[in-house]
Amino acid sequence: MSHIARTDKDEFQPSSNQDRWRLTPDAITSLRKAANARGRGLAAAGVVTPPDALCRVPLTTNDECAEAGVSADDEAKLLRWYEKQIPLLVGRTGDTKAPRRLRRNRKVAATATILVKRFYLSHSMLEREPLAHTLAAVFLAAKTEDEFVSAGELAAAVVESSDEVQRLAFRASKAEQAILQGVGYDLRVAHPHGPARALAEGVDVDMSRIEDECDKLLTTDAPLLYAPSLLAAVACLKVGGCEEKLKEVLTPEALDEATALAASSDPEDDAAALKKIRKRLKRTALWRDPPQPKKRPASSEEAYVPEEGGAAAPAAKRPRR
């Protein structure tokens, strides 16, 4: 798709989004398989500290690993779950029963979602903890969008005890540099929300619903495949009410493509499958907690140790009559 609107210039080109981050489905699959193979190889080798983060887009080498474990498809499913949590953590609107919501601009969640998506094109969750790096992406996105939030605030919105908050904030702060390196220091993100507002201008439609659809599209591979204006058109079509406006501003090819995307649906998350993936990940990842030594049950002879000074042993209990 070379043109979105009825102009001679793609609004998405030239830019880093177009040059580096517009990919084909095969390229996305290859990147994720290569990252997963590297992660499984490191885990199988017993590596404790992951190598420095590095942006590997576009893919130049294809690693292979025969070790069994968490697959690239498993990681993609779990990544999408984490991406879906970002708007719940950051957004200003939504469930009023979420008092720890950070109440930042919608752009923060959109930027963070794209950053973490780009990062895990080059890295595996087996080598890089998803929770800490997702929070690091939010931390960077908030600074990029001039909506600053501290690592401590982020951690406190996820865990409760002060010790857990301190540990998670430290891990998220440490992951910030990895996110920067992993996306090639490219923090510029084009959102579909702006084009969606332009498409809906002058049309009697619920804009918040359209922006919600934009948020949902960001948790799929669509931002890596299509221009933001096409995603905006898809969001408008999903809500409805903008069809005539879209016919005026989009080429027939772009409208057909947007219509096809709007008609497609993604499978719902399988909570049981995600739980199993998380368990396997925690057992094999480089960042897993070290195994705790098992306590040997004390024998009856070891159970009682008399104090120094010759204290008498406790008297035996009288048998019941």
Side-chain angles (χ1 to χ4, degrees), residues 244-300:
E244 295 302 319
K245 180 77 172 289
L246 293 178
K247 289 178 182 178
E248 296 175 6
V249 300
L250 298 184
T251 63
E253 298 82 3
L255 183 58
D256 289 343
E257 193 165 15
T259 302
L261 285 171
S264 63
S265 59
D266 294 302
E268 295 292 329
D269 290 336
D270 186 338
L274 288 173
K275 186 176 181 179
K276 291 179 181 178
I277 293 170
R278 277 193 287 266
K279 283 185 176 180
R280 292 204 305 273
L281 186 65
K282 288 181 178 180
R283 284 199 305 265
T284 57
L286 273 61
W287 44 267
R288 66 187 182 276
D289 293 330
Q292 298 295 325
K294 292 184 178 180
K295 293 183 178 180
R296 184 168 60 91
S299 66
S300 58

Side-chain angles (χ1 to χ4, degrees), residues 218-238:
L218 292 183
T219 66
T220 69
D221 288 340
L224 300 172
L225 299 168
Y226 306 104
S229 56
L230 186 77
L231 299 184
V234 172
C236 290
L237 287 171
K238 282 182 173 289

